[in-house]
Amino acid sequence: MAFRQALQLAACGLAGGSAAVLFSAVAVGKPRGGGDADARATEPPIWTGVSRPGPTVWDSNWDRREPLSLINLKKRNVESGEEELASRLDHYKAKATRHIFLIRHSQYNVDGSLEKDRTLTPLGREQAELTGLRLASLGLKFNKIVHSSMTRAVETTDIISKHLPGVSRVSTDLLREGAPIEPDPPVSHWKPEAVQYYEDGARIEAAFRNYIHRADAKQEEDSYEIFICHANVIRYIVCRALQFPPEGWLRLSLNNGSITHLVIRPNGRVALRTLGDTGFMPPDKITRS
C-alpha cells in the first residue's frame, strides 16, 4: 500500500510558465494554469496500477480529415438514407498511404555569426552524401522534397538531390528551426524567451498541420515524400503525429543526416518505422551537433 501511495504522490508535479501563451495560439499539449505553483497531474504508466485521470484513446480525427467529420449531416437526404451517406463517405475517404521521410540537416559551422554563414562542414557534406545514397538505395519513387529555407538545410538538400534526379524540391519557411513548445521536464542549458515559443511554436504547429495528414481522397497511389529540416521540428512533429505529449519532444535525440520514417495510413493511423536512423553511416561520421 505504501508503494501505491508513493506512486500516486509521484504522479503529480509542479509546472507552468511561458508555454501558456503558446497553448492559446495553437491549442496543443496539456492545459496549464497561470502560475508556477499550479499543480498538474501527469498520467502514470499502466504498470503502476494508479488510475489515469482521463481516457487515453486515439483521436481518429487528429488531422480533421476523418470522412464523417467532412459531411454535413443536416443536409442528409432522408429518403435515400444510408446509401447516400455511404456514397458521400466514400467520396471523402483516403485510399493511399503517405510515407513521410524526415531528414535532419548535416553537421554545420555553429560559429557563424549570421545564419547564411552557418554552412555545412566538410564532414557535414560527407554525411549528406551518405544520406542521399541511403535514400536512393531504398528503390522508392519519391514524389517530392520539401526543405527548410535555412542555409544548412538548403545545402543538405543540394547534395541529397544529386542522388535523387528528377525529384522536385520546394523550399519553405515553415520548417525553419525554432522553439516548438516549452519542454517537460525543463532543461537548464537551453531556455528561450517566452516570446520565442509563442512565435516559433505557432509556425512549427502550422508546418505540422500543413504537411502531416492522411492522403487526399483524390490520391490514388502511395506517396513517398522527403522533408529536410531540423531536429526540434522533427521531434515535435513525431510527438504530434503519434499523439504523444508534445512537451516531451526534447527527450528524443537525432543525429545529423538521420532518417525518420513516419507512415500515415488511409484510416488516419500513424506508425513510426524509424527514428533518427544513421545505421548507414560509419561510426566516425556520426555527429549530433
Side-chain angles (χ1 to χ4, degrees):
M1 180 61 71
F3 177 66
R4 176 68 58 80
Q5 290 175 338
L7 286 172
Q8 290 175 329
L9 290 172
C12 295
L14 298 179
S18 59
V21 291
L22 175 59
F23 293 151
S24 64
V26 298
V28 298
K30 298 175 183 177
R32 297 190 182 186
D36 292 337
D38 292 338
R40 178 164 62 95
T42 59
E43 294 185 1
I46 294 176
W47 59 264
T48 64
V50 180
S51 61
R52 293 169 178 254
T56 56
V57 297
W58 176 262
D59 177 11
S60 61
N61 195 31
W62 61 274
D63 58 352
R64 300 301 181 264
R65 292 176 181 237
E66 180 69 22
L68 192 59
S69 71
L70 300 174
I71 296 176
N72 187 347
L73 295 177
K74 293 182 180 180
K75 294 184 178 181
R76 180 178 171 185
N77 189 318
V78 178
E79 294 182 1
S80 55
E82 296 300 327
E83 292 184 6
E84 182 195 11
L85 178 59
S87 176
R88 292 170 66 187
L89 283 173
D90 188 64
H91 175 75
Y92 289 106
K93 190 176 296 183
K95 306 172 185 64
T97 296
R98 293 184 68 208
H99 293 263
I100 307 294
F101 292 83
L102 300 160
I103 314 298
R104 188 191 175 196
H105 61 77
S106 302
Q107 186 190 65
Y108 68 103
N109 295 298
V110 297
D111 297 328
S113 56
L114 299 175
E115 194 279 317
K116 66 181 181 64
D117 299 324
R118 295 166 193 162
T119 56
L120 297 186
T121 64
L123 175 56
R125 301 188 72 82
E126 288 185 63
Q127 291 170 338
E129 292 282 358
L130 291 168
T131 303
L133 287 169
R134 172 59 176 168
L135 290 170
S137 72
L138 297 178
L140 301 173
K141 184 180 179 181
F142 289 104
N143 300 79
K144 63 180 178 181
I145 298 175
V146 181
H147 65 86
S148 158
S149 57
M150 297 186 81
T151 300
R152 54 190 181 270
V154 172
E155 292 189 347
T156 301
T157 302
D158 289 340
I159 296 171
I160 290 177
S161 291
K162 293 189 300 182
H163 299 280
L164 302 171
V167 180
S168 62
R169 48 185 289 185
V170 179
S171 177
T172 177
D173 290 340
L174 289 179
L175 292 174
R176 292 173 73 90
E177 185 63 301
I181 192 171
E182 186 177 11
D184 186 10
V187 292
S188 59
H189 63 276
W190 188 73
K191 290 187 175 181
E193 296 294 328
V195 68
Q196 189 172 349
Y197 288 118
Y198 182 82
E199 295 174 351
D200 293 347
R203 172 179 54 78
I204 296 171
E205 172 65 16
F208 171 79
R209 297 187 187 191
N210 190 51
Y211 296 118
I212 311 301
H213 52 76
R214 74 193 77 186
D216 188 271
K218 297 179 181 179
Q219 181 177 324
E220 297 290 341
E221 297 181 353
D222 294 352
S223 59
Y224 301 87
E225 306 159 46
I226 297 173
F227 295 83
I228 300 175
C229 49
H230 310 270
N232 294 0
V233 177
I234 294 172
R235 291 181 285 184
Y236 177 80
I237 285 176
V238 167
C239 288
R240 287 281 285 116
L242 297 178
Q243 298 186 24
F244 293 164
E247 302 94 337
W249 65 272
L250 199 51
R251 304 173 205 172
L252 307 178
S253 182
L254 298 175
N255 294 332
N256 294 114
S258 62
I259 300 174
T260 295
H261 182 185
L262 282 171
V263 180
I264 307 177
R265 300 294 183 189
N267 61 3
R269 298 288 178 88
V270 181
L272 180 65
R273 289 276 181 90
T274 60
L275 175 68
D277 177 29
T278 49
F280 51 88
M281 293 186 185
D284 62 338
K285 304 295 183 184
I286 296 176
T287 63
R288 279 197 302 273
S289 61

